[in-house]
Amino acid sequence: MSQSHRLAKGGLIDRSKPLSFTFDGKTYKGYAGDTLASALLANDVQLVARSFKYHRPRGILTAGSEEPNALVGLRAGARHEPNVRATVAELYDGLIAQSQNRWPSLAFDLGAVNSLLSPFFAAGFYYKTFMWPASFWEKVYEPLIRRAAGLGKPPVGDDPDIYEKAFAHCDLLVIGAGSAGLAAALAAARSGARVILADEGPMLGGRLLSDKRIIGNQSGLDWVKATEAELVSLPNVRIMPRTTIFGVYDHGVYGALERVNDHVATPPAHEPRQRAYRIYAKRAVLAAGAIERPHVFGNNDRPGVMLGSAMRTYINRYAVVPTKRVAIFTSSDEGYATAHDLIAAGASVQAIIDTRADATISAAHDIPHFKGAKILRTLGNKQVQSVEIELADGSTRILDCDGVAMSNGWNPAVHLTCHQGGRPVWDDKINAFLPGNLPAGLSVAGAAQGHFGLKDTLADGFRLGASAVDDLGFKAPAIAMPDTDPESLAHTPLWRVKTSKGKCFVDFQHDVTDTDIELANREGFRSVEHMKRYTTLGMATDQGKTSNISGLAILGEASGRSMAEVGTTIFRPPYTPVALGALAGHHVHKGFRPTRLTPSHQWAEEQGAVFMETGLWLRAQYFPKTKNESWLDAMIREVEITRSKVGVCDVSTLGKIDLQGKDVGTFLDRVYTGTFSTLPVGKVRYGLMMREDGFVQDDGTTARLSENRWLMTTTTAGAGKVMAHLEFCHQVLWPELDIAFTSVTEQWAQYSIAGPHARDVLKKLVDARHDISNEAFPYMACGAITICNGIPARLFRISFSGELAYEIGVPNRYGDALIRAIMKAGEEFGITPYGLEALSTMRIEKGHVAGGELNGQTTPRDLGLIKMVSQKKDCIGKHMSERPAMLYPDRPIFVGLKPKNPKSKLTGGAHFLDKGAKPSLENDLGHMMSVAYSPMLKSWIGLGIVKRGRERIGDTIRAVDFVRGTEFEVEICDPVFFDPQGERLRG
Amino acid sequence: MRIPCPFCGSRDSQEFSFLGQAGLKRPDPNAPDAQKQFHDYVHIRDNKAGVTKELWLHANGCRSWITVTRNTLTHEITGSEFASPLTKEAAQ
Amino acid sequence: MRYSVFSIVEQAFKGQKDWKPVWRYPEPKAEYDMLIIGGGGHGLATAYYLAKNHGYTNIAVIDKNYLGSGSVGRNTTIVRSNYQEPGNIPFYEHSLKLWEGLEQDFNYNAMMSQRGVLNLYHSDSQRDDYARRGNAMMMHGVRADLLNREQVHEIVPFMDFDNARFPIHGGLMQWRGGTARHDAVAWGFARGADSRGVDILQNTEAKQIRVENGKVTGVETSRGFIKAKKVGIVAAGNTTRIAETAGLRLPIESYVLQAFVSEAIKPLIPCVVTFGAGHFYISQSDKGGLVFGASLDYYTSYAARGNLPGVEDTIEEAMAIMPSISRVKLLRHWGGIMDMSMDGSPIIDKTGIDGLYINCGWCYGGFKATPASGYCLAHLMATDESHPVATALKLNRFETGYVIDEAGTGAQPNLH
C-alpha cells in the first residue's frame, strides 16, 4: 500500500522528487517537502510513539515544533539523535527513524503494563514510598525507575558532524516569518534598515502555508512569494530559514540555531550540521504566532486525535489527509474551517461536536452538527475507532470515526517574552495569556500578541516593523493595508470534559492527567509552580506548549480561582531543544581550549620529548633518550647532567611584563612585599606578591633594564591574573603614577641555561663585545646584549635550579633558532635539554616555592619568606597578612621532609601525623605540597607545611596517604636540601 | 550582555572580566582604625539590588578598567567610564 | 498522614481521594518564639529541627513567594561531603549523615541516591591536590577513593579518554555522595515542620527587621508586623537585602548561577561527575535528563537569569569530557541567585544584634548542606551556642583571618 492518505494533487510538496525512508525498519515513500510526520501519515502510520510513564500508544498531535507525542530516534550509529519531533524533521531520501521507549516493539510494548498499574502511579506517588528499607533505593527501586524513564537512547561514539558558532548584527530582528513577521520585515526593510528575518521552518509563510487565504488581489501563498522575492532582492535583508530564535538574553542578544544540514542525510564536506548564532539586534519583533489548544477528554491521547489546525496543515501543505473519517471536536469557529478543508480533500466529516450551545456558525453540507455537545472519550486500540459523545440533552451515543480534530482556541507563543523574567498576563477577552513585561527593544506582533485574524497580523506587522526602525532613526515608508478574505474566529474554550470516561491527558508527553492536577491541589500544591513540579506538567521536552493552559485551568477550577489568580509558570530558554554540540561549536576535543606552544616546541618534538599540559601550555615534561626510558630515569639523567655539566630548559611560559615610566620603582614597592625602588640598573631582584587579603598570589623576578624600564616575570599560571591585578593597581588605585606596562609573554622566547658549563656555552653565543665573566656579570645581573652576530637579546643571571645559570631572552621569532644554537654550542660540554620534571626536582632540592606552595592559602610567613616583606613600607596585602590567624603559632609552616628510608616514595597530598597519633582533624599537622626523587641526595624528598614546623626541625613524623595506601616516617628538615650556602650559583 | 567600553564601544560581555563594587577607597594603613577599614575594604560590599557602579576589565580588548553603571535587578546598563580619572580626563 | 506502601495501595483503590494537604495555609499569629525569614530548604529545615530537636512549636517560616521557590528548586541536586578544609569537613559530613537518614526521618522520599561523586583530575598536580583533599576527609573518617585512569574508565567508559584537550588521568570518588530530588527536600521538611505545628507563611515578604535597643523585636511583613523573640535570616541570595534592614553589612555578594537540563534519555551517567580542567558537574536524573552546571556568570545579579557566554562555556565543558552527547539536546536553562561569601564557605552565626541570627554564604553548595544548615542554625537559635560541627562558620573570621578558603582564590567571590 503506497501513500494511501496522499491527495492526488495540491500541497507544497515536490512530486517530482519521490523519497524513500524507513520507520522501525519498514520502508515507505514520501516526497521532497514532507516532514517525517506528514510522510508517515501519508502512509497511514498512526502509531509512532509510546508515552513516558504509561507507555501508551501515541500518534501525531500537531504539525509543528510544539509536538508532545511524535518523538522518534532519527538516523543511526553515531549520527543517532534521540527525541526528534517527527513533525519538524524534514524528509530526505534514505531517512531512518525508530520509535522510542518501547520494548520489544512499538505495537507490542511490555511497558504498557504501567498503564494497568496507573491507579498506584498518581502524581507524586514516588515521594510517598520506596523508602523502606533505605538501602533499596539505589539497589532496587531507582534502577527500575531509571530504566523505565528516559525516552530515547543516548548516542554512542563521536558525532561525525561539525558545528559552528557565528555572530550576526542587525537593526531589526524579526522572529517568525508568518504573515505578521513578513509584514514587519517588509516595512522595516523598505527603510533601508538592516533586517534579519528568521523562521524555524524551511519555508516562509507560517499559517499561510496551511490555510488557503486571500491577501489583496492574490492568494496568501502568492503574497508570501512576492514578499519574499522583494526581501531577497534587498541587500539590507538577510533571511534565515530553518533558524530558531531559542533565547532572549540581555541587551538585545538573541540566541539562534540554524539547522544548516538537518534536511539532508549527511552534511556536505566542510559544512556544519548546525550553526549557533548570537544575534545582536537593536530592535526585535516577535511574530512567533500561536499554538492551538487540545481538548481534555477521555483517552484524548489515542492515535488519530489531532489538532484541527494541524489537520489543515497536513491537507493543504502536505497534501495528506491524516485520517479519513473525522469527528470535529470544537469550541471555536475554526473547527468548521477544518471540516471544510477535510471535505474538500475528500474525507468524511462524521460530525461536528461543538461544545458551545450558542454557536452561531452553521455547518456546511449535511454534516451532523451537535451544539453544546462533548466527546466523552475515544474508543479503539492503537487508533481511534469511534468516540462516545454526550449531546446537549445529556444523552450519549457512539460515533464511528478514525480521527478527531480538536479546536479549542489558540495560545499566543509568548515564550520568548518570558526569557527576561516577563510574566504573561491573562486576558479574558481572548481566553489566553498575553505577553507581560517585554525584554527591552522587543515588541510583539500578530497572533503572538493575541491578534489572531489575518488582517490584524498584517496590520501589526506593518506597524511594528516600521515603528521599530523609525525608533532607530530610519524612515519606513507607509504601506497600504491589503484586504483579506473574511474569517470567523469566535471561540469559548472548554478546559476539560468533566463527564469524561477514561484517562484525560493534559500533558501528553509526561502523562499528566486532570486527576493528577486535582490530586496536587488536594495535597496543597496550589501554587502553579508547586503543581508543575509535583505533577511534572509542562516539564517534558515540549515545555508544555500544548498543555500548560489546560492544566492551569483545571488547577483554577479545583481550587476555586480564576485563571488570572492562578497565574502561569514562565517559560525558560531554549524555545525548542538545542543540540549540545551546536552550543559547543568547534570547542570540542583538542579544540576545547586553545593550545599554547612554546618557541622550542617543534624542536622538542623532534627530540622525542614527552609533553604535558600546564594550563593552556604544552610543555616538555622530559626528553627520553630511548623509547623505554621512564620519566624517572630521564629526569635523573637530566638533573645529573645539568648539575655536573650543563642543561637547557624553555622557560618562555613564565609571564613577562614590560614596565616603563619614572614611577615604576614606587609602583613595584607597593605591589611587591620587598623594596624595588632601590634596585640598581642592570640588576634583578626576587619579588613576592600578595593579594590584598594577605595571602601570597605570585612570585617572580623583576629586572631593571634601564632607569625607567623594568621587566617583571610571573609564574606561568599567574601570568594573566598578575597582569590584571597590576592594571587594577595602576588604573584604579594609583592612576597618578607615571607608568605604563604591557604583557610581553609571547614576544620573548626565554631559555634557562644552567650548570657549571653554562657560561662556557653562553660565551659561544654572546657577541664578543659583551663581557659575561663572573666579575662583569655577577649573580643577579641583567642586561641587553646581542648574540650570534647582532641578534638582540636579554641576559639575566638568575637561577631556579641552584646552579650557575642564566636566562637568555630573544624575540620570539628567534626562539627556535636559539634552542638549536644553544644545543649546538653546548654539544662539546655534554649539554642536555631538561623538562619540567627535572626543573621541578631541582627547585625542590633547592627548597624554592612554586605551584604547590603558592596555592592561595599561604602567607609569606607560612612559606618562611617573612624576610621578603619589608617592614619599612606598606604594600598590597601587608595589613591583612597580620591578622591574628596569620600569626597564630600553630599555623602550618613550610619545611623540608626527608623519609627515614630514602626509597620511601613520598606523595604529594599526604597528610602529617605525629607518631602514635590517631587520624583526626585535630591531630592533622599539615600536608605534603611537592615531592621529588632527588638524584643529588639519592632519596625521595618533599616540601610541605607542618604545624610549628620550624620549631620541630629534626623531629620525625608520619606522612600518611590514606587514598594511596602509603605511610612513611619522615624527618622535618630545612627546605633547602642541596647547596644550602648557594655557592654553586655564584660560581 | 553588551558592555559599552568607553574606548572600544559596545562589546560582548564575554570580552570583559568582572571585579565588583567600584569606588572603594584603599585605606590608609596608618589610620587608627586601619584594621577595621581594611576588613571592610576587602570583605564588605553593598551588594545592592538596583543601580550599582562596578568595575569591569576589558580583558580581551583595550585592557581598560572601566566603571559601569548597571542595575543588578534588570541588568540594564546606563553608563560606563574609564576607572582612571586621568584617562577619563584625557579622553574628554 | 503517614506515607507507606499501605497508604499508597489504599488510596489507589479509593481513587486518591483521601490524601491530605501536605501543609496548611495558616494566618500569621501576632507573635512567635522563632521566626525564620526564608522558606527555602535551609529555612524549612531550620524550623523542622527547631521543632523536632528543641521542642519549639511556636515558629513561623515566612517566604515572599511559594515555599521552595528559590535555590532549593533550581540547583543541580548534588549531595556530597568531599571537602578539604578542617572548618568545612565536619559540617558537611554531618550533613551527609543527616541525608542518609532523612527520608525515614521525615517520612518523605527525597530520592536520595548515593550513586557516587567523581571528581576527575587531569594532571599530576591536580591528582596531588585531590589526594590532599581525600586525605583530609579520611582524617575525619570520611571515605574517599583516589582512582586511576583505568578505574575511572570502568565507571564512565563513554567519556573521552582518547582525544581530550585535557586528558582524564583519574579521579577522586566519594561513593557516599550522590543526588537527591531537590523539590522533595523542601516539601519533606515543610511537611515535617507543618505537622509539628510550624506556621509556613507563603507569599509573606519580609520588609523590615525591627530592632529596639540592640534587640530584635519582630519583622514587618507584607502581611503586617509579626512579633518574634528570635529571628533567623535564611534568605540565600537575598540575605544582604534583608540584613540591611537591620543595619547589617555582610561579606556577601549575590551572583547568578545557571543550571541546565537536557531532554530525557535512557540511563547513561551512573554517578555525579565533575570536570577538573574547568568547573563543570553533571549527573542524570531519574527521569533521564542530564542535569549540569558550571561556573557563575561572574557578575552580581538579582535577576536570576544568565547569559549566553555562560551557557556556551558550560556546554563546551560538557562536551570536553563527553563529546558523545553532542546530539542530545538542551531542554532548559535557568538561573538562581547565589549568596557568595568572601572565602567561599558559609556563615552560621549570631549577628551582634540580640536575637538575630544569620545563615548565608552558601555559594554554589547550599543544597547538600540543607539538613546540617537547618540543624546547626536551629541549635544556635535554641541554645545561643554554635553546634560543634559549625564552630568555624563564624562571621568574624574575616577579621581574625580564620578564613575557610577551599579554592585559595581569596576575597573575590566570583572566583570561588
Side-chain angles (χ1 to χ4, degrees):
Chain A
M1 200 169 68
S2 172
Q3 303 198 42
S4 59
H5 283 50
R6 182 78 70 183
L7 298 172
K9 57 181 182 15
L12 304 174
I13 50 168
D14 184 350
R15 289 170 201 263
S16 71
K17 290 190 185 131
L19 308 172
S20 168
F21 69 101
T22 70
F23 178 64
D24 277 348
K26 202 170 160 201
T27 302
Y28 301 95
K29 300 273 187 229
Y31 293 111
D34 262 328
T35 61
L36 175 59
S38 69
L40 285 168
L41 290 169
N43 289 279
D44 196 24
V45 178
Q46 303 287 345
L47 170 66
V48 297
R50 289 277 173 171
S51 70
F52 190 80
K53 188 158 132 190
Y54 299 134
H55 291 245
R56 293 184 46 121
R58 290 288 163 83
I60 294 162
L61 180 74
T62 75
S65 62
E66 67 273 27
E67 176 63 32
N69 283 338
L71 304 187
V72 299
L74 196 64
R75 296 184 168 86
R79 284 198 167 88
H80 168 75
E81 182 187 355
N83 306 334
V84 174
R85 286 148 291 151
T87 48
V88 292
E90 292 178 58
L91 199 68
Y92 55 84
D93 200 42
L95 180 147
I96 298 167
Q98 307 89 28
S99 57
Q100 305 186 138
N101 201 35
R102 80 290 187 267
W103 187 85
S105 75
L106 182 60
F108 179 74
D109 177 11
L110 280 180
V113 69
N114 286 0
S115 205
L116 299 176
L117 296 173
S118 64
F120 301 95
F121 293 173
F125 76 99
Y126 29 75
Y127 299 123
K128 299 169 185 156
T129 184
F130 299 138
M131 287 178 269
W132 316 273
S135 64
F136 267 40
W137 176 253
E138 288 86 353
K139 290 194 191 115
V140 182
Y141 305 130
E142 190 179 41
L144 285 174
I145 292 173
R146 283 167 72 97
R147 257 202 299 280
L151 291 177
K153 288 187 190 130
V156 176
D158 274 4
D159 189 340
D161 294 337
I162 55 169
Y163 299 83
E164 283 180 359
K165 292 192 193 189
F167 301 83
H169 297 255
C170 61
D171 295 309
L172 177 68
L173 169 67
V174 179
I175 304 162
S179 48
L182 284 166
L186 188 66
R190 284 180 180 172
S191 77
R194 288 191 302 166
V195 174
I196 292 178
L197 173 62
D199 193 280
E200 60 178 356
M203 298 172 76
L204 309 188
R207 282 295 312 165
L208 292 173
L209 304 173
S210 297
D211 290 323
K212 293 185 171 165
R213 305 301 306 271
I214 305 287
I215 298 176
N217 52 8
Q218 55 192 341
S219 74
L221 270 178
D222 286 340
W223 181 83
V224 169
K225 280 182 198 152
T227 307
E228 182 175 357
E230 179 174 348
L231 290 172
V232 166
S233 75
L234 295 171
N236 53 320
V237 176
R238 176 170 181 184
I239 297 176
M240 299 178 72
R242 299 188 173 103
T243 301
T244 303
I245 306 299
F246 64 76
V248 183
Y249 301 91
D250 283 314
H251 310 153
V253 181
Y254 292 81
L257 180 77
E258 183 184 13
R259 283 170 294 274
V260 187
N261 280 306
D262 272 355
H263 60 294
V264 292
T266 55
H270 312 300
E271 278 195 30
R273 175 185 169 223
Q274 299 178 341
R275 195 177 279 135
Y277 279 87
R278 276 183 221 171
I279 298 178
Y280 303 104
K282 293 184 182 135
R283 295 287 182 278
V285 170
L286 176 66
I291 295 167
E292 201 175 21
R293 299 186 287 233
H295 284 100
V296 177
F297 61 98
N299 300 333
N300 57 341
D301 63 328
R302 204 180 301 284
V305 180
M306 188 180 272
L307 294 176
S309 58
M311 212 165 266
R312 300 202 301 278
T313 298
Y314 288 113
I315 293 167
N316 296 319
R317 179 169 174 183
Y318 299 107
V320 170
V321 55
T323 50
K324 292 186 174 175
R325 291 171 297 118
V326 180
I328 306 273
F329 190 15
T330 191
S331 304
S332 155
D333 288 358
E334 284 195 71
Y336 298 77
T338 308
H340 172 272
D341 289 1
L342 276 164
I343 288 164
S348 156
V349 174
Q350 302 294 81
I352 295 178
I353 300 121
D354 194 326
T355 62
R356 303 167 298 172
D358 57 352
T360 52
I361 189 165
S362 51
H365 310 280
D366 46 1
I367 304 167
H369 186 199
F370 306 109
K371 291 190 198 178
K374 302 160 188 116
I375 299 185
L376 299 181
R377 60 171 164 164
T378 67
L379 297 157
N381 186 9
K382 296 187 179 75
Q383 183 176 352
V384 174
Q385 285 171 353
S386 59
V387 292
E388 182 177 352
I389 61 176
E390 181 186 274
L391 303 185
D393 63 6
S395 66
T396 63
R397 69 165 73 170
I398 302 286
L399 184 77
D400 181 56
C401 61
D402 64 356
V404 177
M406 302 177 284
S407 290
N408 198 18
W410 296 78
N411 288 326
V414 300
H415 307 71
L416 293 180
T417 69
C418 299
H419 290 183
Q420 301 274 288
R423 202 162 270 283
V425 182
W426 180 255
D427 186 303
D428 271 328
K429 285 196 278 302
I430 64 158
N431 295 303
F433 282 96
L434 290 179
N437 284 341
L438 294 178
L442 181 90
S443 53
V444 187
Q449 185 59 45
H451 303 155
F452 298 115
L454 181 56
K455 213 178 178 74
D456 296 331
T457 61
L458 289 169
D460 261 16
F462 289 137
R463 180 172 56 84
L464 293 175
S467 65
V469 293
D470 285 353
D471 210 22
L472 299 172
F474 295 90
K475 293 241 175 314
I479 297 179
M481 250 309 287
D483 282 334
T484 59
D485 56 328
E487 61 192 314
S488 180
L489 297 165
H491 81 286
T492 308
L494 176 72
W495 300 120
R496 67 161 159 171
V497 178
K498 271 190 145 178
T499 46
S500 288
K501 298 175 180 171
K503 280 199 182 315
C504 309
F505 286 89
V506 181
D507 184 321
F508 291 96
Q509 194 181 129
H510 264 175
D511 280 343
V512 180
T513 65
D514 58 344
T515 57
D516 288 327
I517 296 165
E518 288 174 330
L519 174 62
N521 179 64
R522 194 175 308 136
E523 294 197 75
F525 296 91
R526 288 188 211 159
S527 149
V528 281
E529 281 287 347
H530 281 156
M531 183 274 282
K532 162 185 148 183
R533 289 158 182 266
Y534 193 61
T535 63
T536 76
L537 176 97
M539 296 176 80
T541 64
D542 58 337
Q543 280 204 53
K545 291 191 177 71
T546 55
S547 64
N548 277 357
I549 307 304
S550 313
L552 300 175
I554 293 165
L555 179 66
E557 186 187 288
S559 59
R561 289 175 292 170
S562 69
M563 286 293 260
E565 286 167 329
V566 170
T568 177
T569 58
I570 63 171
F571 299 96
R572 309 278 188 198
Y575 177 66
T576 51
V578 178
L580 297 174
L583 291 166
H586 282 296
H587 294 254
V588 288
H589 299 303
K590 295 290 183 196
F592 165 56
R593 292 290 180 258
T595 302
R596 301 176 78 179
L597 302 180
T598 62
S600 65
H601 187 86
Q602 193 187 330
W603 170 84
E605 249 180 352
E606 291 165 18
Q607 310 310 307
V610 174
F611 295 95
M612 67 190 285
E613 290 83 13
T614 51
L616 296 180
W617 292 98
L618 269 190
R619 295 183 74 180
Q621 186 181 1
Y622 57 100
F623 293 83
K625 262 268 188 241
T626 63
K627 259 200 173 145
N628 299 327
E629 194 180 30
S630 72
W631 73 266
L632 186 62
D633 291 341
M635 178 277 285
I636 292 170
R637 180 177 47 74
E638 289 168 15
V639 170
E640 283 174 348
I641 294 176
T642 301
R643 291 225 188 271
S644 64
K645 297 172 184 167
V646 61
V648 59
C649 181
D650 190 333
V651 293
S652 310
T653 62
L654 293 181
K656 304 179 208 74
I657 299 167
D658 188 332
L659 301 103
Q660 301 184 37
K662 69 176 170 51
D663 293 332
V664 173
T666 309
F667 180 67
L668 294 177
D669 285 350
R670 295 180 187 179
V671 297
Y672 271 138
T673 61
T675 305
F676 277 74
S677 48
T678 56
L679 184 70
V681 172
K683 287 288 182 190
V684 187
R685 191 164 281 172
Y686 174 76
L688 195 63
M689 210 179 271
M690 285 189 281
R691 297 187 306 241
E692 193 67 278
D693 66 353
F695 292 91
V696 176
Q697 69 165 317
D698 207 68
D699 73 346
T701 59
T702 290
R704 191 167 193 173
L705 299 172
S706 65
E707 182 62 26
N708 290 332
R709 184 161 199 187
W710 308 59
L711 185 75
M712 175 188 284
T713 65
T714 73
T715 61
T716 299
K721 266 189 317 201
V722 169
M723 184 67 194
H725 171 68
L726 297 184
E727 287 167 327
F728 169 81
C729 290
H730 177 219
Q731 295 178 33
V732 181
L733 296 183
W734 308 303
E736 71 281 3
L737 293 184
D738 177 17
I739 55 170
F741 52 91
T742 190
S743 166
V744 293
T745 305
E746 303 200 326
Q747 278 64 41
W748 291 84
Q750 197 144 312
Y751 298 99
S752 171
I753 303 174
H757 286 300
R759 192 180 298 120
D760 302 325
V761 175
L762 258 183
K763 272 186 176 162
K764 293 175 69 180
L765 300 169
V766 174
D767 289 345
R769 61 195 173 90
H770 302 290
D771 182 358
I772 58 165
S773 66
N774 197 29
E775 296 71 35
F777 204 82
Y779 180 57
M780 294 308 247
C782 71
I785 55 165
T786 57
I787 61 169
C788 305
N789 294 319
I791 291 170
R794 286 170 181 168
L795 192 63
F796 311 87
R797 189 162 163 200
I798 51 179
S799 175
F800 200 43
S801 58
E803 296 300 318
L804 164 65
Y806 299 83
E807 286 187 15
I808 181 166
V810 290
N812 194 290
R813 63 186 179 279
Y814 297 114
D816 181 77
L818 181 56
I819 186 65
R820 293 174 198 273
I822 292 169
M823 287 303 292
K824 193 154 175 250
E827 207 175 334
E828 62 176 289
F829 306 104
I831 195 169
T832 180
Y834 64 94
L836 276 185
E837 295 290 351
L839 177 87
S840 173
T841 296
M842 288 192 279
R843 74 95 184 165
I844 292 171
E845 286 180 332
K846 288 297 294 177
H848 291 310
V849 296
E853 295 76 35
L854 305 179
N855 60 10
Q857 301 174 319
T858 48
T859 65
R861 186 173 272 103
D862 297 344
L863 296 175
L865 297 171
I866 191 66
K867 281 195 199 133
M868 305 289 308
V869 184
S870 165
Q871 295 309 307
K872 295 185 191 141
K873 64 173 186 73
D874 179 40
C875 71
I876 295 278
K878 188 172 170 200
H879 207 90
M880 296 300 272
S881 74
E882 284 157 13
R883 284 180 284 175
M886 274 85 149
L887 306 175
Y888 183 57
D890 245 6
R891 230 182 133 78
I893 298 294
F894 183 63
V895 291
L897 297 138
K898 225 160 60 183
K900 286 305 215 188
N901 176 350
K903 287 188 180 146
S904 299
K905 186 177 182 305
L906 301 183
T907 47
H911 282 237
F912 302 120
L913 283 172
D914 269 318
K915 286 195 273 190
K918 290 216 167 64
S920 75
L921 293 173
E922 292 68 39
N923 291 338
D924 193 347
L925 297 174
H927 74 277
M928 192 82 82
M929 292 169 147
S930 302
V931 299
Y933 175 77
S934 165
M936 296 299 108
L937 280 73
K938 306 272 184 274
S939 169
W940 286 86
I941 56 173
L943 300 172
I945 50 171
V946 178
K947 278 182 189 167
R948 294 183 183 261
R950 275 274 140 189
E951 302 160 31
R952 298 192 60 184
I953 286 189
D955 283 6
T956 297
I957 56 175
R958 293 145 62 207
V960 187
D961 196 334
F962 300 102
V963 296
R964 293 183 178 99
T966 62
E967 176 175 334
F968 303 115
E969 289 199 341
V970 291
E971 185 189 317
I972 304 173
C973 60
D974 189 273
V976 186
F977 292 91
F978 181 67
D979 186 25
Q981 304 308 316
E983 284 155 8
R984 300 172 71 94
L985 50 75
R986 291 191 167 78
Chain B
M1 207 142 82
R2 304 279 295 173
I3 310 285
C5 171
F7 187 78
C8 305
S10 167
R11 295 298 169 94
D12 196 297
S13 63
Q14 198 163 13
E15 296 180 8
F16 298 78
S17 61
F18 176 86
L19 184 73
Q21 188 175 336
L24 299 172
K25 202 173 145 22
R26 188 170 188 274
D28 173 0
N30 299 316
D33 62 343
Q35 192 164 338
K36 183 182 182 311
Q37 282 195 41
F38 264 103
H39 166 261
D40 288 4
Y41 170 69
V42 174
H43 299 112
I44 302 297
R45 299 290 178 264
D46 290 343
N47 198 26
K48 224 155 92 184
V51 176
T52 63
K53 292 212 180 252
E54 54 198 26
L55 286 168
W56 293 71
L57 169 67
H58 196 185
N60 294 315
C62 62
R63 304 276 319 174
S64 295
W65 279 95
I66 59 175
T67 305
V68 176
T69 308
R70 191 178 62 100
N71 187 323
T72 57
L73 289 164
T74 62
H75 298 171
E76 186 193 10
I77 291 176
T78 46
S80 78
E81 55 187 21
F82 292 109
S84 160
L86 297 181
T87 317
K88 201 162 44 179
E89 216 169 88
Q92 276 159 7
Chain C
M1 80 195 273
R2 201 172 161 75
Y3 295 150
S4 68
V5 178
F6 307 106
S7 63
I8 296 260
V9 172
E10 186 188 352
Q11 290 305 314
F13 289 106
K14 289 186 172 172
Q16 318 284 349
K17 293 293 183 208
D18 297 342
W19 293 115
K20 297 283 176 292
V22 281
W23 47 70
R24 296 165 295 126
Y25 288 81
E27 284 303 309
K29 294 185 208 162
E31 181 172 5
Y32 291 95
D33 294 334
M34 303 273 184
L35 188 145
I36 309 297
I37 301 173
H42 292 218
L44 294 165
T46 304
Y48 175 80
Y49 288 115
L50 271 171
K52 180 167 178 281
N53 293 357
H54 303 281
Y56 283 88
T57 51
N58 189 27
I59 308 171
V61 179
I62 66 172
D63 196 287
K64 66 175 157 43
N65 208 325
Y66 60 94
L67 71 85
S69 52
S71 294
V72 71
R74 292 164 184 257
N75 63 79
T76 45
T77 80
I78 298 168
V79 173
R80 60 183 174 90
S81 68
N82 54 358
Y83 280 75
Q84 169 178 286
E85 294 301 312
N88 275 333
I89 295 171
F91 174 81
Y92 284 101
E93 176 58 13
H94 181 64
S95 202
L96 186 52
K97 289 219 170 89
L98 289 171
W99 277 110
E100 286 171 333
L102 190 61
E103 293 156 329
Q104 287 70 28
D105 187 64
F106 64 25
N107 181 232
Y108 204 79
N109 187 356
M111 299 180 206
M112 166 67 175
S113 172
Q114 294 181 282
R115 58 178 85 161
V117 172
L118 175 64
N119 305 127
L120 300 176
Y121 60 78
H122 308 267
S123 68
D124 291 353
S125 58
Q126 193 169 37
R127 175 201 60 211
D128 290 356
D129 285 345
Y130 283 12
R132 174 192 171 192
R133 174 141 60 102
N135 285 324
M137 292 160 64
M138 298 286 279
M139 280 283 178
H140 192 62
V142 184
R143 170 80 184 268
D145 291 280
L146 192 69
L147 309 181
N148 62 27
R149 186 179 179 276
E150 288 65 39
Q151 290 168 310
V152 169
H153 186 270
E154 235 168 77
I155 299 168
V156 285
F158 51 87
M159 294 214 166
D160 190 355
F161 285 84
D162 304 320
N163 193 24
R165 173 68 180 82
F166 297 102
I168 297 168
H169 287 210
L172 184 72
M173 174 64 104
Q174 184 183 27
W175 284 108
R176 284 169 60 233
T179 60
R181 168 87 181 97
H182 55 13
D183 287 326
V185 176
W187 300 341
F189 276 123
R191 177 167 167 268
D194 178 89
S195 69
R196 286 172 173 81
V198 174
D199 283 354
I200 302 169
L201 306 171
Q202 306 186 52
N203 301 305
T204 308
E205 183 173 4
K207 298 280 192 190
Q208 168 82 45
I209 294 172
R210 207 187 275 175
V211 179
E212 280 165 30
N213 304 322
K215 185 169 174 15
V216 75
T217 58
V219 181
E220 299 281 0
T221 77
S222 55
R223 293 165 81 180
F225 179 68
I226 302 178
K227 266 177 88 171
K229 295 191 180 77
K230 291 184 175 182
V231 173
I233 305 173
V234 194
N238 288 302
T239 298
T240 55
R241 295 170 80 175
I242 292 172
E244 196 181 20
T245 71
L248 293 175
R249 298 181 78 222
L250 296 171
I252 298 283
E253 280 186 327
S254 298
Y255 285 81
V256 59
L257 176 66
Q258 302 195 65
F260 304 80
V261 64
S262 79
E263 292 182 346
I265 51 173
K266 291 290 178 193
L268 175 70
I269 307 180
C271 57
V272 179
V273 184
T274 75
F275 175 43
H279 185 184
F280 173 79
Y281 33 95
I282 188 165
S283 66
Q284 188 170 13
S285 76
D286 286 338
K287 225 165 71 186
L290 307 181
V291 180
F292 55 94
S295 296
L296 298 170
D297 258 25
Y298 292 121
Y299 45 85
T300 52
S301 172
Y302 288 92
R305 60 184 161 78
N307 276 292
L308 270 179
V311 174
E312 293 180 20
D313 268 355
T314 302
I315 288 165
E316 286 166 13
E317 292 190 29
M319 293 285 291
I321 51 170
M322 39 193 307
S324 71
I325 59 172
S326 173
R327 297 175 98 95
V328 174
K329 295 187 281 290
L330 174 68
L331 175 57
R332 274 198 318 274
H333 70 91
W334 61 93
I337 311 170
M338 304 297 109
D339 42 331
M340 301 299 295
S341 71
M342 287 290 157
D343 62 357
S345 291
I347 298 163
I348 302 178
D349 206 354
K350 302 180 204 172
T351 58
I353 294 170
D354 211 12
L356 184 64
Y357 305 81
I358 53 163
N359 172 319
C360 60
W362 295 101
C363 302
Y364 290 75
F367 181 65
K368 70 179 91 70
T370 307
S373 167
Y375 199 97
C376 293
L377 179 60
H379 185 277
L380 178 69
M381 289 181 74
T383 66
D384 269 326
E385 298 284 339
S386 286
H387 187 276
V389 299
T391 51
L393 310 181
K394 289 280 202 301
L395 179 56
N396 73 352
R397 66 177 185 263
F398 303 98
E399 282 164 49
T400 60
Y402 287 103
V403 292
I404 314 172
D405 185 356
E406 294 266 338
T409 45
Q412 181 58 40
N414 58 2
L415 299 182
H416 289 296

